[in-house]
Amino acid sequence: MGLFRDAGKAYKPAPEVDLGAHSDEFYLHANVKAPRVAGLLVKIFVWILESPILGSIVLYILKKDNLIQRLVSVAEIQEPPLFTATHSNEDISEQSVTPIKPNLSPAERVQEAASCLPPCLDSSFTDSASQFKRWTIRDFFRAYKSGETTPLEVARRFLAAAKETEDPKLHMAFFISYSHEDILRQAEESSRRYHRGTPISMMDGVLVAIKDEIDCMPYPTTGGTRWLHKVRPCIEDASCVKQLRSCGAILVGKTNMHELGAGASGINPHYGATRNPYDINKISGGSSSGSAAAVCAGLCPVALGVDGGGSVRMPAALCGVVGFKPTSGRLSNSGILPLNWTVGMPGILAATVEDALITYAAICDHLPFSQPTFLQPSLNFPLLDSMQSITNIKLAKYGKWFNDSTIDIRNCCDQTLKMLSQHYGWKIVDVTVPEIEEMRLAHYITIGSECTASLAPHLSKLDYAEIGWDARVALSVYGSFSSRDYLNAQRIRNRQMYFHKEIFKRADVIVTPTTGVTAYPLLSDAADTGELDYINGAALVRFSIAGNFLGLPAVTLLVGYDKGGLPIGLQFIGRPWSEATLLHLAFAMQTLCIKSYKRPKVFYDLLKKEQA
């Protein structure tokens, strides 16, 4: 098809690109036109894609129509490829932090993090209409220590709530698997420790859910499929799970996810579409859908996800909870499905920023056979009880990118920035972040190629009838990428790494909305086939890619709601290794926004004697 090939984009050398506020760099909107489809139309599209002749033609047209050919595949790029988002060991200057000694146990790090919290933290998120309360890790710890309740009582309430969410009237599809016996066993052991006055840490007895992309005994790790656990058995806990377990946390099961992480809606044809607790007829986002929704609904204050393309931050934003992705290499990938080696890593979904910090403290150590710790700089925790000392913060904002969102999101996020500026004196620095759409496409080629390479030994032996219809579309597209596509994508990664390093010389963080749209309706015929929705998909991931493609830390926080009452998230993207600063800024923002938080329509208060 060389006769029909477009000339590729010729990129100017990265140092010649103007990153200033008045740059003439063109902002390219996602060139996505395909209609949203589900049901029979998805099946027909799969049959066409998997046809030997028609499939190759359709894939070529798709890649050409979405500008992958011109912007990546046949582009002229001078920079060499950069294959990983690894950052050098550079200690950065951060305000109001405490350095953490190396070689502390997870429980000792949790204690260090607990000492960073304000002494009289008000854990109530209250509005006059609903008296909404969302309990923190520290609330559970206090309730257990005082004897007000026990981990066993809370575990029983959790099991009752989880069962209720499975009722056909709700069918929330939060979990793929959970074990009554294992949960109660853990809760009984934790209750005995509190009875003896010897809890392991503040996380002892705290419920934590685990995305079904992370190994956690005694459960299989399905990756949202019906087959992957059969060819890759789970034989031990992932590194991050081991550390949580060593702190006494109660691991309450494996949460639902988009099949193979290959989508952003959270619709899984095998285990159900995870529904948004703010509106059960809306999506929860993905791919860490169950983890975000379970935290939102109050079933646990913390859950783990995996973030390969915004898969923690997108559902966190759509469900109105905290989503935190540290710097690439800060957390161990040991025991996580190897679906995207260079862009994916564990992330945290939490009820509050404080809970994200405590959980981060528990899991931020590297166990044997993971990435060497000598590649990391020293570890800092933010002193959240000294918020007023965070001054002279500069927030980089690219207006054209920031405004590429719905009017509700744009207005809400703009208002939040004004509030931050007025209350804390933080400054907005106008910049240009070039080639945003080019980066999205390069990331898509990267994550798709790595997923295909990882699964290739299994896919060649697999009956494709075991794979969901929308996942089959994704795998067909992934398999069409060439070595040239992949190499050029890594050249774009190199360019973007340069751009972002230069921007961080001007500002402390980059600020964006977390998603370009809020949660949208579930299609009635998507339950069995999933859906193809590239317009909303591109809008959901629009602001997430740098965190993964460049390995940068990022955090999202609820800052308001759209006209329909659905959550809106604002995101901070930080310098490498600046997790303490990001959490501190997020906590400062939470302090201002918390009074406007609203109770989800599906919510369980596990510290009350009766379900809310």
Side-chain angles (χ1 to χ4, degrees):
M1 295 189 181
L3 292 174
F4 305 102
R5 181 170 294 165
D6 289 336
K9 176 178 177 177
Y11 290 85
K12 67 177 72 172
E16 296 179 12
V17 177
D18 183 2
L19 307 181
H22 305 294
S23 172
D24 61 0
E25 287 294 310
F26 180 71
Y27 179 78
L28 180 64
H29 295 269
N31 190 47
V32 182
K33 304 169 186 175
R36 185 184 183 197
V37 297
L40 180 60
L41 290 177
V42 174
K43 294 181 180 180
I44 293 173
F45 192 58
V46 169
W47 292 329
I48 293 172
L49 280 184
E50 294 178 356
S51 166
I53 298 176
L54 287 178
S56 60
I57 296 173
V58 170
L59 285 168
Y60 174 80
I61 294 172
L62 281 174
K63 291 162 70 176
K64 185 172 183 288
D65 188 51
N66 288 305
L67 302 181
I68 286 178
Q69 290 280 5
R70 186 170 72 85
L71 298 181
V72 184
S73 302
V74 297
E76 297 178 24
I77 308 170
Q78 297 187 26
E79 287 76 15
L82 177 66
F83 292 104
T84 63
T86 303
H87 297 281
S88 59
N89 181 344
E90 297 179 6
D91 287 317
I92 62 174
S93 177
E94 295 187 280
Q95 300 180 48
S96 298
V97 298
T98 181
I100 303 304
K101 297 177 182 178
N103 302 319
L104 293 182
S105 70
E108 290 170 333
R109 291 196 305 272
V110 166
Q111 180 58 39
E112 291 289 325
S115 68
C116 296
L117 302 181
C120 297
L121 187 65
D122 182 1
S123 64
S124 301
F125 299 179
T126 306
D127 65 49
S128 57
S130 66
Q131 293 297 301
F132 172 44
K133 295 181 183 294
R134 196 186 285 282
W135 302 112
T136 68
I137 289 173
R138 186 152 79 169
D139 291 320
F140 283 97
F141 181 61
R142 286 172 172 172
Y144 296 156
K145 284 196 72 177
S146 68
E148 175 187 339
T149 189
T150 67
L152 184 57
E153 290 173 351
V154 168
R156 287 171 175 156
R157 292 173 195 157
F158 164 82
L159 290 169
K163 182 179 180 180
E164 184 176 308
T165 66
E166 297 168 356
D167 186 278
K169 293 180 181 179
L170 291 176
H171 194 51
M172 301 301 290
F174 290 156
F175 288 88
I176 288 179
S177 58
Y178 62 93
S179 165
H180 288 68
E181 294 76 12
D182 187 66
I183 293 169
L184 293 176
R185 176 190 60 77
Q186 295 177 77
E188 288 171 351
E189 292 174 355
S190 178
S191 296
R192 285 195 290 270
R193 290 193 292 270
Y194 277 100
H195 181 73
R196 294 194 300 264
T198 58
I200 298 172
S201 76
M202 182 178 282
M203 292 200 74
D204 203 333
V206 172
L207 309 185
V208 180
I210 308 295
K211 182 182 182 182
D212 205 5
E213 195 175 339
I214 304 172
D215 287 341
C216 177
M217 298 295 288
Y219 306 100
T221 303
T222 72
T225 72
R226 295 192 306 184
W227 59 271
L228 189 52
H229 58 289
K230 300 174 185 176
V231 297
R232 182 199 173 274
C234 174
I235 57 176
E236 64 175 336
D237 288 338
S239 172
C240 52
V241 173
K242 286 180 182 178
Q243 294 176 81
L244 287 171
R245 202 184 291 276
S246 74
C247 292
I250 298 176
L251 307 171
V252 294
K254 307 297 287 294
T255 54
N256 202 357
M257 60 177 286
H258 205 108
E259 186 174 7
L260 294 173
S265 68
I267 299 171
N268 187 304
H270 312 302
Y271 303 106
T274 301
R275 297 175 180 271
N276 195 311
Y278 277 93
D279 183 341
I280 65 173
N281 296 311
K282 301 291 197 302
I283 67 162
S284 61
S287 63
S288 302
S289 48
S291 290
V295 172
C296 175
L299 291 181
C300 49
V302 173
L304 293 188
V306 177
D307 197 314
S311 292
V312 163
R313 290 160 288 147
M314 289 186 296
L318 268 55
C319 291
V321 299
V322 176
F324 178 48
K325 181 205 122 11
T327 307
S328 178
R330 181 68 90 176
L331 305 181
S332 172
N333 278 8
S334 174
I336 295 174
L337 291 180
L339 298 178
N340 33 69
W341 296 292
T342 73
V343 295
M345 65 173 295
I348 297 165
L349 299 110
T352 66
V353 176
E354 308 88 82
D355 293 336
L357 168 60
I358 293 171
T359 307
Y360 171 61
I363 66 175
C364 65
D365 189 27
H366 279 258
L367 297 183
F369 310 113
S370 63
Q371 185 174 347
T373 55
F374 64 79
L375 293 178
Q376 297 188 29
S378 58
L379 176 67
N380 295 325
F381 290 163
L383 296 170
L384 299 184
D385 56 352
S386 60
M387 182 182 56
Q388 294 300 327
S389 64
I390 291 289
T391 58
N392 301 320
I393 293 297
K394 295 179 180 179
L395 308 176
K397 176 186 176 185
Y398 178 25
K400 293 179 182 178
W401 185 30
F402 192 98
N403 293 334
D404 194 3
S405 54
T406 66
I407 190 168
D408 284 357
I409 291 175
R410 186 161 63 248
N411 290 343
C412 177
C413 291
D414 269 330
Q415 184 60 38
T416 302
L417 291 187
K418 291 177 183 177
M419 190 164 53
L420 291 171
S421 180
Q422 291 169 0
H423 195 86
Y424 299 117
W426 299 350
K427 305 297 183 184
I428 305 299
V429 178
D430 291 316
V431 300
T432 296
V433 185
E435 303 166 17
I436 294 293
E437 178 63 3
E438 290 88 336
M439 177 168 60
R440 183 183 74 84
L441 295 175
H443 169 270
Y444 184 63
I445 290 170
T446 301
I447 194 171
S449 299
E450 292 177 1
C451 180
T452 301
S454 173
L455 297 176
H458 311 305
L459 293 177
S460 61
K461 306 171 187 176
L462 189 66
D463 179 358
Y464 266 49
E466 291 196 64
I467 307 174
W469 293 94
D470 62 333
R472 286 165 69 174
V473 172
L475 290 172
S476 293
V477 176
Y478 295 169
S480 73
F481 296 136
S482 68
S483 58
R484 184 176 181 183
D485 295 336
Y486 188 81
L487 287 170
N488 275 357
Q490 309 322 302
R491 287 171 159 173
I492 291 175
R493 192 198 311 239
N494 198 351
R495 293 174 62 81
Q496 286 294 330
M497 193 73 82
Y498 173 83
F499 296 149
H500 281 71
K501 285 181 179 179
E502 290 299 306
I503 289 171
F504 285 127
K505 293 177 181 178
R506 310 179 186 192
D508 299 287
V509 299
I510 298 171
V511 61
T512 73
T514 312
T515 59
V517 294
T518 52
Y520 51 85
L522 286 161
L523 295 178
S524 59
D525 54 351
D528 294 331
T529 63
E531 65 175 17
L532 304 180
D533 187 359
Y534 297 111
I535 294 176
N536 278 321
L540 284 175
V541 305
R542 180 164 297 136
F543 305 101
S544 297
I545 299 305
N548 303 101
F549 203 41
L550 309 181
L552 300 173
V555 63
T556 178
L557 184 79
L558 173 65
V559 294
Y561 304 85
D562 68 8
K563 289 186 177 71
L566 294 167
I568 293 171
L570 187 72
Q571 175 181 230
F572 293 138
I573 304 169
R575 296 185 180 98
W577 316 116
S578 65
E579 289 85 4
T581 294
L582 282 184
L583 290 172
H584 215 147
L585 300 184
F587 180 74
M589 184 162 63
Q590 177 183 273
T591 301
L592 298 182
C593 297
I594 199 170
K595 294 179 182 178
S596 66
Y597 286 3
K598 301 174 183 178
R599 178 191 180 109
K601 292 179 181 177
V602 177
F603 182 78
Y604 299 91
D605 186 340
L606 299 188
L607 281 185
K608 283 190 175 181
K609 292 184 179 179
E610 308 234 351
Q611 293 290 343

